[in-house]
Amino acid sequence: MSKKFETQAIRTQTERSQFSEHSTPLYLTSSFVFDDAEDMRASFAEEKEKNLYSRFSNPNTTEFVDKIVAMEGAEAGYAFATGMAAVFSTFGALLNAGDHIVSCRSVFGSTHSLFTKYLPKWNIETSYFKINEVDRIESLIQPNTKILYAETPTNPAVDILDLELLGSIAKKHNLLLVIDNCFATPYLQNPIKFGADLVIHSATKLIDGQGRVLGGVVVGKEELIREIYLFSRNTGPAMSPFNAWVLSKSLETLSIRVEKHCENALKVAQFLEEHPKVNLVKYPFLKSHPQHEIAKKQMRLGGNIVAFEVKGGIEAGRNFLNSIKVCSLSANLGDTRTIVTHPASTTHSKLSEEDRLEVGITDGLVRCSVGLENVEDIINDLNQALNN
């Protein structure tokens, strides 16, 4: 019997112990025991499925991964200590010296550093295309290109890439399509349906949803996950069982939380679009968004991130943050609490102005992660901060 999203999120559980618990317990153990020498040999030879050591297998981690696999329509998955551990391990496992990546330029700052500072140490180069240059992707593909990579929606400018188009390009050129689906979550968007081979999440964000724990996960084709698993088993970026337990419980409420996040975010975006102190607003489900039709094609709702530009540049952006009273000033996102960030003076301040503008980070851009407070309180706080 096929189960709907919400049912999978709640009813995918580890096998009950002898205590017949209703909710999955914590398995805070570093290791597991074996019945005898043959059981131990067969388990390490992977002739039987058994937990060996929590660096690479644990009941809590397995339950969390199984839920994400089901939600994304994937074959297998692996969980990590952080979202960036998931990103790095995916590239570390699947790329060899001399390989090449084609990526959208609008990627998370740490991913950009990975592409430009660290992967080149192993002779792995990256070619970038801009959001509005998808027609250039094929011209960037080289004989040694192995991966086509993108985030959608992007961080922090909330741009949208056409997953169906990326899927068709990857298939035509026999590339692996890897999509960071963090902003959308498995509830709003499933890149595998559009041709993605692997999907990555920073579970720290909306999957946790309450700013409590760090985590990352990658799901997709079984043979690719196998390579990522073997790499990670030996390099050790594993998710802790406690974090896996928290995140698995968080998934039980993901759908209702995200629905409310999106409802609040749309109202905030509509308010900001009418405000005289705001130059522009970017939210995927606003008709004014440049990729609105693509967003509606591949997303259930518009997500919880609203990007907007305050008139007056960097100083106006700083003044806006200094005037906030209810919302939080933080670099995180996807929390129950509304968070505002000014990328030009904080998260992306180390980039040159040219590099910032290339990915849509203007001096006055503010990223607002809309939370679950009463939307009138969120709007009133943004309004008084803008007017100050």
Side-chain angles (χ1 to χ4, degrees):
M1 185 176 75
S2 67
K3 294 174 183 172
K4 301 292 186 184
F5 185 96
E6 295 85 350
T7 309
Q8 288 175 332
I10 293 167
R11 290 292 175 179
T12 302
Q13 284 188 273
T14 57
E15 190 179 338
R16 288 193 175 111
S17 74
Q18 71 269 32
F19 299 111
S20 301
E21 66 280 342
H22 189 210
S23 184
T24 301
L26 273 162
Y27 290 93
L28 297 183
T29 181
S30 59
S31 54
F32 302 84
V33 297
F34 305 91
D35 298 333
D36 50 38
E38 174 54 23
D39 181 37
M40 198 169 188
R41 182 207 65 78
S43 298
F44 272 84
E46 297 185 60
E47 292 169 12
K48 56 165 70 174
E49 217 171 287
K50 194 161 185 176
N51 290 301
L52 308 176
Y53 188 59
S54 286
R55 172 156 51 83
F56 39 89
S57 59
N58 176 281
N60 294 127
T61 311
T62 299
E63 179 182 288
F64 169 65
V65 171
D66 286 349
K67 286 184 179 183
I68 299 289
V69 166
M71 291 171 170
E72 286 284 13
E75 294 173 3
Y78 192 80
F80 300 85
T82 67
M84 278 312 302
V87 173
F88 173 71
S89 298
T90 297
F91 288 114
L94 299 178
L95 294 175
N96 296 314
D99 283 344
H100 177 250
I101 302 162
V102 173
S103 170
C104 182
R105 178 63 185 85
S106 300
V107 291
F108 179 54
S110 295
T111 306
H112 173 64
S113 295
L114 182 63
F115 287 162
T116 57
K117 187 175 180 180
Y118 297 107
L119 291 183
K121 289 166 65 174
W122 296 289
N123 194 26
I124 297 167
E125 301 294 334
T126 302
S127 296
Y128 280 132
F129 62 92
K130 296 178 189 175
I131 279 289
N132 59 355
E133 293 179 338
V134 289
D135 55 341
R136 283 192 64 230
I137 294 174
E138 290 191 270
S139 69
L140 298 173
I141 295 169
Q142 303 171 10
N144 58 335
T145 305
K146 190 164 184 183
I147 287 175
L148 176 58
Y149 180 84
E151 301 172 7
T152 182
T154 64
N155 181 10
V158 206
D159 283 304
I160 303 293
L161 282 153
D162 189 331
L163 289 170
E164 191 174 15
L165 175 63
L166 296 182
S168 66
I169 293 171
K171 187 175 182 181
K172 177 181 174 183
H173 294 275
N174 199 27
L175 306 179
L176 298 177
L177 178 59
V178 181
I179 298 294
D180 183 329
N181 199 30
C182 171
F183 272 27
T185 79
Y187 183 64
L188 299 182
Q189 179 173 271
N190 300 123
I192 289 169
K193 289 181 182 174
F194 299 95
D197 297 288
L198 292 169
V199 176
I200 297 175
H201 290 278
S202 170
T204 311
K205 312 303 189 296
L206 282 161
I207 285 174
D208 172 35
Q210 294 171 66
R212 298 168 298 183
V213 297
L214 300 174
V217 62
V218 56
V219 299
K221 290 184 175 174
E222 192 166 9
E223 67 269 22
L224 300 175
I225 296 296
R226 172 73 180 164
E227 293 302 313
I228 294 166
Y229 160 75
L230 291 172
F231 177 87
S232 304
R233 176 171 170 154
N234 289 299
T235 54
M239 176 179 282
S240 78
F242 177 79
N243 287 12
W245 179 81
V246 171
L247 292 165
S248 187
K249 297 302 290 181
S250 298
L251 286 173
E252 295 182 13
T253 60
L254 182 69
S255 61
I256 55 174
R257 285 189 289 105
V258 171
E259 289 262 2
K260 186 62 178 174
H261 275 295
C262 295
E263 180 188 320
N264 281 358
L266 181 59
K267 288 176 181 174
V268 166
Q270 289 167 338
F271 156 75
L272 290 168
E273 204 167 34
E274 300 298 320
H275 201 286
K277 298 284 182 73
V278 173
N279 271 335
L280 68 89
V281 181
K282 294 274 282 294
Y283 183 69
F285 270 42
L286 281 181
K287 287 182 180 175
S288 57
H289 191 287
Q291 298 100 26
H292 174 67
E293 290 305 319
I294 297 171
K296 292 204 77 170
K297 177 180 75 169
Q298 63 196 33
M299 296 176 72
R300 188 194 298 246
L301 294 165
N304 84 311
I305 306 296
V306 179
F308 61 99
E309 186 179 289
V310 180
K311 288 180 180 176
I314 284 188
E315 278 312 304
R318 287 195 183 115
N319 291 338
F320 168 79
L321 258 62
N322 287 334
S323 300
I324 285 290
K325 293 177 180 175
V326 176
C327 303
S328 305
L329 308 188
S330 173
N332 195 28
L333 58 93
D335 201 309
T336 50
R337 292 158 282 259
T338 297
I339 294 168
V340 288
T341 309
H342 180 234
S345 66
T346 58
T347 54
H348 291 73
S349 58
K350 289 183 175 63
L351 294 180
S352 68
E353 184 180 11
E354 184 183 358
D355 283 346
R356 285 203 311 271
L357 291 174
E358 216 173 64
V359 294
I361 304 172
T362 57
D363 287 347
L365 187 80
V366 172
R367 185 188 71 190
C368 181
S369 170
V370 181
L372 299 179
E373 305 95 339
N374 185 290
V375 73
E376 288 182 24
D377 291 329
I378 301 170
I379 288 172
N380 287 341
D381 192 32
L382 297 176
N383 188 39
Q384 65 81 24
L386 285 166
N387 290 334
N388 283 338

